[in-house]
Amino acid sequence: MDTIKSRFLEHYPHAKTELIYRNIYELLVCVMLSAQCTDKRVNIVTPALFARYPDIKSLANANLDDIKELIKSVSFFNNKARHLLTMAQQVLADFGGEVPTTQEALKSLAGVGQKTANVVLIEFFNANVMAVDTHVFRVSHRLGVSRAKSAIDTEADLTKAFKTQLFALHQAFVLFGRYVCKALRPECAQCFVQEFCTTRSNFKPA
Ligand code: SF4
């Protein structure tokens, strides 16, 4: 496990999200939009969204249909628009307009589950937590680091296996899964952990 960890940290020493944001409000919105959608697509819609709604207060007072219109090219835009509006209203009512910075408080917001909360904490604070998206799930199963069926149980396995520098490993696993250990036709010739690979099958969280 130590070798897998050190190889990832060596190969991705400065891994960061590809989402474009300027503050924690924008990061939270980006991460909420990125569920089952590519970062590239999110980065296309957010400039106009943030120009119209630059902060929690403006988003909390937004017109739902207008949010939908601005994010309509993102997957599940109807639900995501509703969640964005409610999330902003909750932050205003329950947290004085400041995006909260603990996992528990983030998870109290509409549309924010454990993965979204952890990604925000990883990205903004380099928190020592793991978040399991489709890439992290696939890579950790191919490498035999986890055999869990759900993302939450996989997160627990990875946390136990790697213990420290989880934020860096999360970012590294995401980039490795996105560009090398792809779901279909992984680039195994470029793989730096090939000797640990247990299967090239695809895996998806239950
Ligand atoms: S050998 Fe291929 S399938 Fe296995 S971990 Fe490496 S890139 Fe992924």
Side-chain angles (χ1 to χ4, degrees), residues 115-177:
K115 186 190 79 182
T116 299
N118 283 4
V119 171
V120 169
L121 296 173
I122 286 167
E123 185 57 35
F124 210 74
F125 299 106
N126 283 350
N128 192 40
V129 291
M130 180 50 75
V132 175
D133 69 358
T134 180
H135 301 300
V136 177
F137 190 88
R138 182 176 63 256
V139 169
S140 50
H141 282 69
R142 282 179 173 169
L143 291 176
V145 184
S146 175
R147 293 205 173 111
K149 299 247 183 305
S150 69
I152 289 284
D153 289 344
T154 303
E155 181 192 311
D157 285 345
L158 292 173
T159 303
K160 199 169 156 204
F162 295 128
K163 294 183 181 63
T164 59
Q165 290 175 289
L166 298 179
F167 65 93
L169 288 166
H170 163 80
Q171 309 278 33
F173 270 47
V174 170
L175 293 180
F176 179 69

Side-chain angles (χ1 to χ4, degrees), residues 139 142-143 176 180-182 186-201:
V139 169
R142 282 179 173 169
L143 291 176
F176 179 69
V180 181
C181 192
K182 298 182 283 192
E187 311 274 352
C188 302
Q190 296 178 31
C191 181
F192 52 83
V193 279
Q194 216 176 111
E195 74 264 41
F196 301 103
C197 184
T198 60
T199 169
R200 286 169 196 192
S201 318

Side-chain angles (χ1 to χ4, degrees), residues 11-157:
H11 279 80
Y12 297 98
H14 308 294
K16 282 203 66 75
T17 180
E18 293 180 315
L19 293 167
I20 299 169
Y21 66 93
R22 292 169 296 189
N23 51 51
I24 193 168
Y25 156 70
E26 292 188 359
L27 173 62
L28 176 58
V29 170
C30 286
V31 178
M32 289 173 72
L33 290 175
S34 72
Q36 290 170 283
C37 186
T38 64
D39 290 359
K40 269 191 193 136
R41 169 58 46 195
V42 172
N43 289 337
I44 289 170
V45 306
T46 46
L49 181 68
F50 295 144
R52 185 86 57 95
Y53 303 114
D55 50 30
I56 283 289
K57 197 171 171 201
S58 53
L59 187 62
N61 290 299
N63 173 287
L64 179 60
D65 288 335
D66 190 48
I67 302 176
K68 285 184 187 174
E69 184 61 29
L70 285 163
I71 66 165
K72 68 182 178 193
S73 65
V74 167
S75 57
F76 306 107
F77 71 95
N78 277 313
N79 273 343
K80 287 178 181 174
R82 265 193 291 277
H83 284 151
L84 287 179
L85 182 58
T86 310
M87 174 279 287
Q89 290 167 345
Q90 286 175 300
V91 171
L92 207 54
D94 302 341
F95 299 99
E98 300 289 330
V99 172
T101 56
T102 66
Q103 187 197 70
E104 200 188 343
L106 282 164
K107 280 167 65 178
S108 73
L109 302 173
V112 180
Q114 180 141 326
K115 186 190 79 182
T116 299
N118 283 4
V119 171
V120 169
L121 296 173
I122 286 167
E123 185 57 35
F124 210 74
F125 299 106
N126 283 350
N128 192 40
V129 291
M130 180 50 75
V132 175
D133 69 358
T134 180
H135 301 300
V136 177
F137 190 88
R138 182 176 63 256
V139 169
S140 50
H141 282 69
R142 282 179 173 169
L143 291 176
V145 184
S146 175
R147 293 205 173 111
K149 299 247 183 305
S150 69
I152 289 284
D153 289 344
T154 303
E155 181 192 311
D157 285 345

